[in-house]
Amino acid sequence: MELKSQKMLWKTENAPHRALFGALGFTEEELRRPLVGVVSAFSEIVPGHIHLDKIAEAVKAGVSSAGGTPVLFPSIGVCDGIAMGHEGMKYSLASRELIADSVETMAMAHCFDALVLVPNCDKIVPGMLMAAARLNIPSILVSGGPMLSGKSGGKRLSLSTTFEAVGARMADKIGDEELRAVERDSCPGCGSCAGMFTANSMNCLLEAIGMALPGNGTAPAVSSERIRLAKKTGAKIMELIEKNIRPGDILKKTAFYNALAVDMALGCSTNSVLHLLAVANEAHVLLDLGILNEISAKTPNLCRLSPAGPFYVEDLHGAGGVSSVMRELSKKGLINTEVLTVTVNTVGENIAGAPDGDGEVIRSVDNPYSETGGLAVLYGNLAPRGCVVKRSAVDENMLRSEGKARVFDSEEEAMRAIFAGLIKKGDAVVIRYEGPRGGPGMREMLGPTSALAGMGLDKDVALITDGRFSGATRGSAIGHVSPEAAQGGAIALVEDGDIIAIDIPGGKITLVVDEKTLEDRRAGWKAPEQKENLGWLSRYRRMVSSADRGAVLE
């Protein structure tokens, strides 16, 4: 392929450019090689990123060993756990767009020939993947890997355990000492939080969609395997440059369908829906929210990883990882094995040697946890354009339910009611004005869901929002209600005491109120006053689309 860096550097009029590279310490020999941007989300505020300096150095070594010149530059990243439960969470989803824009800016301004992207956590992975799709220069991703699960008193723990322990303490089910023990032991070191939460969901889906090497989603952050994977990734980008293989050659509709099938088999976070829609938008692939139910209907759920079950991502790795899951699905024709990947081989070639599932962490397609996938999209008069639930994390008794609405216009209002003991069995908690525009920023609601779970109400109370949920959420937690309340969606018309009927197997959610009453309520509805002084979130609010389109900027 023709190298952009060479066109930028080696004309007479490019002497100033060469001078500036010389000021950086680059030799002429280095500048004659392909310039590979290494985009690292390293920081000292995100546990999933604290070790990415080591991963990025391994990537650079791989690039250099294969004949390229690596050039490091940074990316921002929000820790969702630290941002949870306060105004900071408004910035999390919105930061995905900043990340994509900043990677595009750096790549275009400096004429990089290719990119190796090094993310690890929730919005950083999709933001970098969106940039790769948008730029369409040779690109590959390698994440920092999952955190190991914690252990305390013979029990395995993760961050979600800590959030749920807060609810248990508020309900006097545990004491201060037990809460402190969970707090101390739940996050034992670096990496993306240990369960099949959003970060690990997206890191696994990078493999499934073909933009990362096998092992990317599951090799532990603290393992030497992770360092070796980073070196191999750095070397692989040079082959992608040589053969001019770009994201546009990989991110076809069939690749997205593969990712959705793996999503269903693993029981990934509901946030994966938002992110796959957004990446598809950048790749100019038409991906409709309704396709999820079609794929879910024929894709068995093979894994029950925390919070849906007792296993963690390290267990998935030991059982064969994403490759084994894909090989299992391929036995029933649920994976397109002809899709090209960044290995420069097809999916079929990648998974040919993967071991069979162990029957426990990864079940066979003939003995799944359920015949249908881990996510479901529900439609009805409450969500005409859809809403999403992690079906695999819902108790069997809550798959079909009716609840009495308890309505709150913010997460904070709901949390006060939950901790005050005002939510009872059979309630349907509605949290609105937390959507992409209403929030703004579509905050995650791990606080309310974990509080309910800790209080023992997750099997009896539904939670419905136009916001979204952490991948660590379990229970009948239904998010992404579209249209959102701030746009006058039906969720804005719900009143305390209304009955909400939920039928997850049937894909339905119904506000049991007659149409005339809803019309009268709509006539009296007024859009809420918008908060001022929101900085760049004011721009985001004006430009962001609804959740059913991936909350992308218009």
Side-chain angles (χ1 to χ4, degrees), residues 459-539:
K459 295 180 174 63
D460 302 287
V461 172
L463 203 158
I464 302 154
T465 182
D466 54 6
R468 60 196 180 91
F469 294 110
S470 164
T473 292
R474 61 187 172 98
S476 185
I478 299 165
H480 309 190
V481 171
S482 298
E484 63 175 292
Q487 292 181 300
I491 193 172
L493 310 179
V494 183
E495 295 183 357
D496 278 338
D498 288 348
I499 299 300
I500 297 176
I502 299 166
D503 179 4
I504 294 174
K508 296 178 182 178
I509 185 166
T510 305
L511 177 60
V512 187
V513 175
D514 65 85
E515 191 58 37
K516 177 62 168 62
T517 300
L518 289 178
E519 288 177 8
D520 291 342
R521 292 181 187 178
R522 188 177 299 281
W525 176 79
K526 291 183 179 179
E529 291 186 14
Q530 294 186 351
K531 296 178 183 178
E532 300 299 327
N533 301 318
L534 284 171
W536 66 266
L537 284 180
S538 297
R539 296 197 305 273

